[in-house]
Amino acid sequence: MQQIFRSDVALGLPLYREVKHKLMESLRDGEWKPGDIIPAEKRLCERFGVSVGTLRKAVDELTAENILIRHQGRGTFVASHSQDRYMFGFFHIYAQDGRKEYPKVEFISLTRDKADADGAARLGVKKGAKLFRIINRLSLGGRAVIIDDILLPEQFFPNMTEAQVRDRRTTLYQLYQDSFGIGVLRTEERLQACGASADIARMLGIPEGTPLLHIIRRALSFRDEVVELRHSYVITDGHEYYAGDDNQGHG
Amino acid sequence: MQQIFRSDVALGLPLYREVKHKLMESLRDGEWKPGDIIPAEKRLCERFGVSVGTLRKAVDELTAENILIRHQGRGTFVASHSQDRYMFGFFHIYAQDGRKEYPKVEFISLTRDKADADGAARLGVKKGAKLFRIINRLSLGGRAVIIDDILLPEQFFPNMTEAQVRDRRTTLYQLYQDSFGIGVLRTEERLQACGASADIARMLGIPEGTPLLHIIRRALSFRDEVVELRHSYVITDGHEYYAGDDNQGHG
DNA sequence: CAGTGGTCTAGACCACATT
DNA sequence: ATGTGGTCTAGACCACTGT
């Protein structure tokens, strides 16, 4: 029989949404951390007092959002940042022949900065708020093609040091996760074209004013806080940004 | 009881995938046309000899792909092209303040052309194959900001006339659907930056070489044929391309 | 082998839209 | 009142993984 009394969070929400919400709470509160296995479906059914079908529908949505990952026969795991996940879900630049390659990342600088009006609006902080600023140069096929200009609200990254950023052997999102407990759940990107500024032109070795693809990415946490604002400037005479379903590949 | 004998298409496929495949066949073969209502779930269960849960899982996937649309209490319908659907699923340009607006489309030309090497490769036709070429100028907020350069394999659009294209009061995808029976199911887009060519600069009233966002879109049919190749050139000093989940909006 | 997720069933009740 | 899709259940069996 279906249970009569629902949690007070329920406001006409389907039961599976309630369950999903409770799972998200457990994730947000750190009951299960990235890489952890979560309890078996049977266990979770008992815990929430729902049937398998309902539990599965909740987990279905979380896997579709790349928050959980199921492995038949092994269990269900909390998604964790890795190089592969970065390439799969966050890095959208391909060579024009369709190949995809992990970029060589060259650290240029870590500085302290303050939010200007635009950065503050995009980050959801006050103008003048303290930020870290990371600049990286990325190479593909042995050629420098991308400058990343990354802004991080200081509050989320206490005492971040240049050594941490320079000497890491992981993606930045792994660093955020492992060293600061910041889980980047999803990103949104806005794209424009711009001419290379003097600084960017110098770092990429191209003439000032060269048309570049300008990607403005916001990275969001579990709580929908903006934890990173990244401006990427891409030379696109040999590469392209692919916008399509993750599932349907780059054919 | 679960049926023992499966169709010969089944090669270890889950039953709901078989059902999905059969639904796709009926759509492809025109048993149900865009805008039509399809039989009720109960009917389809009988027809395919499966339970509701299985049927629903098949339909779930088709709705997630925007091929079918469910309306509680009314029925399930075949997705049909409309202005709203175009804005929702295919047009990704927003004003920088986040507003979205339907562009004013100004017809410039319809000509016959032949596929060059690049176009042939992208369209999946032979070099030199006959094409129609449409050029449109799009305005947002009263300002010309986009040039669309559209290539169509002649085979899919027999006897297309300038009047059809010029005088339509619908989106092009509605025209393809209503006048040629071509259903655009999905698109994929590649983005680059380029400098405005002399032609584009003249049509947009900007200096030659101005950095533009260059969107290369392929539109695919039910059969995964490329039915349209569209080059869009966008002025992005007041607008941007938004790449994010359709569901999560442009906040 | 035991435990996990993946699929499928048969039927119930609910919410919504139309007649 | 009827018919539609939306949710939920309780239990079965399959496929895969690790011991």
Side-chain angles (χ1 to χ4, degrees):
Chain A
M1 192 177 68
Q2 184 181 335
Q3 65 179 31
I4 307 297
F5 301 105
R6 295 240 188 126
S7 104
D8 41 7
V9 190
L11 295 167
L13 275 182
L15 188 48
Y16 73 89
R17 292 278 190 184
E18 273 184 70
V19 171
K20 181 184 175 185
H21 186 252
K22 285 175 183 167
L23 289 169
M24 283 290 278
E25 281 178 343
S26 291
L27 290 164
R28 178 161 46 76
D29 300 345
E31 178 177 349
W32 312 306
K33 293 191 166 26
D36 285 358
I37 188 170
I38 71 171
E41 296 183 342
K42 208 182 124 195
R43 293 280 189 195
L44 291 172
C45 291
E46 292 164 6
R47 169 161 165 181
F48 297 125
V50 300
S51 70
V52 227
T54 302
L55 188 275
R56 278 188 70 82
K57 192 154 181 178
V59 175
D60 279 347
E61 293 200 350
L62 292 170
T63 55
E65 294 167 30
N66 295 312
I67 294 171
L68 295 178
I69 300 173
R70 285 201 273 229
H71 291 290
Q72 187 174 18
R74 289 205 277 147
T76 302
F77 299 79
V78 184
S80 173
H81 282 283
S82 65
Q83 181 165 313
D84 283 353
R85 186 182 177 197
Y86 190 77
M87 288 303 278
F88 177 73
F90 300 98
F91 188 73
H92 300 120
I93 305 296
Y94 293 71
Q96 275 179 4
D97 62 15
R99 290 180 188 277
K100 200 173 185 185
E101 171 195 356
Y102 194 76
K104 182 169 88 61
V105 180
E106 187 183 347
F107 171 82
I108 293 192
S109 65
L110 169 65
T111 54
R112 286 169 181 277
D113 205 336
K114 295 196 174 181
D116 62 12
D118 180 77
R122 293 188 192 273
L123 281 165
V125 300
K126 286 181 184 158
K127 188 175 166 183
K130 290 182 177 178
L131 306 176
F132 288 110
R133 182 176 182 186
I134 300 170
I135 298 184
N136 285 330
R137 175 165 48 198
L138 281 60
S139 297
L140 292 166
R143 178 179 165 219
V145 289
I146 304 174
I147 296 297
D148 273 353
D149 185 345
I150 299 165
L151 298 172
L152 307 170
E154 199 188 63
Q155 57 179 124
F156 294 126
F157 301 88
N159 304 347
M160 176 180 258
T161 65
E162 180 172 319
Q164 278 180 303
V165 177
R166 192 194 338 106
D167 301 334
R168 83 200 135 85
R169 308 179 121 263
T170 65
T171 68
L172 271 180
Y173 289 178
Q174 283 170 275
L175 177 72
Y176 301 168
Q177 174 182 286
D178 298 341
S179 300
F180 301 95
I182 300 282
V184 171
L185 243 112
R186 61 188 182 90
T187 57
E188 53 171 37
E189 300 192 327
R190 294 166 162 75
L191 289 85
Q192 305 187 321
C194 69
S197 68
D199 283 349
I200 303 282
R202 181 172 31 76
M203 289 189 278
L204 287 174
I206 54 174
E208 198 173 329
T210 303
L212 297 178
L213 187 63
H214 176 197
I215 306 169
I216 303 164
R217 178 199 292 173
R218 301 199 312 162
L220 306 174
S221 72
F222 271 102
R223 294 181 172 77
D224 268 348
E225 301 151 329
V226 183
V227 295
E228 177 199 75
L229 173 63
R230 178 183 299 217
H231 294 270
S232 298
Y233 301 91
V234 187
I235 303 177
T236 59
D237 62 355
H239 297 82
E240 61 194 14
Y241 180 101
Y242 182 74
D245 293 354
D246 289 340
N247 302 323
Q248 293 171 354
H250 184 261
Chain B
M1 192 176 68
Q2 184 182 333
Q3 65 177 31
I4 307 297
F5 301 106
R6 297 243 188 123
S7 100
D8 41 7
V9 189
L11 296 166
L13 274 182
L15 188 48
Y16 73 88
R17 293 277 190 186
E18 273 185 70
V19 171
K20 181 184 176 186
H21 187 252
K22 285 176 183 167
L23 289 169
M24 284 290 278
E25 281 179 343
S26 291
L27 290 164
R28 177 162 46 76
D29 299 348
E31 179 177 348
W32 312 306
K33 294 193 167 23
D36 284 358
I37 189 171
I38 71 171
E41 296 183 343
K42 207 181 125 196
R43 293 281 189 192
L44 291 172
C45 290
E46 293 165 5
R47 169 162 164 180
F48 297 125
V50 300
S51 71
V52 226
T54 302
L55 188 275
R56 279 189 69 83
K57 193 153 182 179
V59 175
D60 280 346
E61 293 199 350
L62 291 170
T63 57
E65 294 168 31
N66 296 311
I67 295 172
L68 295 179
I69 300 174
R70 285 202 274 228
H71 291 289
Q72 188 174 19
R74 290 205 279 145
T76 302
F77 300 79
V78 183
S80 173
H81 282 283
S82 66
Q83 181 164 313
D84 283 353
R85 185 181 177 198
Y86 190 75
M87 289 303 278
F88 176 74
F90 300 99
F91 189 72
H92 299 121
I93 304 296
Y94 293 72
Q96 273 178 5
D97 63 14
R99 291 180 186 277
K100 200 173 185 185
E101 169 195 356
Y102 194 77
K104 183 169 88 61
V105 181
E106 187 183 347
F107 172 82
I108 294 193
S109 64
L110 169 65
T111 53
R112 287 170 181 276
D113 205 337
K114 295 196 174 179
D116 62 13
D118 179 78
R122 294 188 191 273
L123 282 165
V125 300
K126 287 182 183 155
K127 189 176 166 184
K130 291 182 178 179
L131 306 175
F132 289 110
R133 182 176 182 186
I134 300 171
I135 298 184
N136 285 330
R137 175 165 49 196
L138 281 59
S139 297
L140 292 166
R143 177 179 164 220
V145 289
I146 305 174
I147 296 296
D148 273 354
D149 186 345
I150 299 164
L151 298 173
L152 307 170
E154 198 187 64
Q155 57 179 123
F156 294 126
F157 301 89
N159 302 350
M160 177 180 258
T161 66
E162 181 174 316
Q164 278 180 303
V165 177
R166 191 194 340 105
D167 302 333
R168 84 198 134 87
R169 308 179 122 262
T170 65
T171 68
L172 271 181
Y173 289 178
Q174 283 170 276
L175 178 71
Y176 301 169
Q177 175 183 284
D178 298 341
S179 299
F180 302 95
I182 300 283
V184 170
L185 255 171
R186 62 186 182 90
T187 57
E188 52 171 39
E189 301 192 326
R190 296 166 160 77
L191 289 86
Q192 306 187 319
C194 70
S197 68
D199 283 348
I200 303 281
R202 181 172 31 77
M203 288 189 277
L204 287 175
I206 54 174
E208 198 173 329
T210 303
L212 297 177
L213 186 63
H214 178 197
I215 307 169
I216 303 165
R217 178 200 292 173
R218 300 200 311 164
L220 306 174
S221 73
F222 271 101
R223 295 181 172 76
D224 267 346
E225 301 151 329
V226 183
V227 295
E228 177 199 76
L229 172 63
R230 177 181 301 215
H231 294 270
S232 298
Y233 301 90
V234 187
I235 302 176
T236 59
D237 60 356
H239 297 82
E240 62 194 14
Y241 180 101
Y242 182 74
D245 293 354
D246 289 339
N247 303 323
Q248 292 169 353
H250 183 262

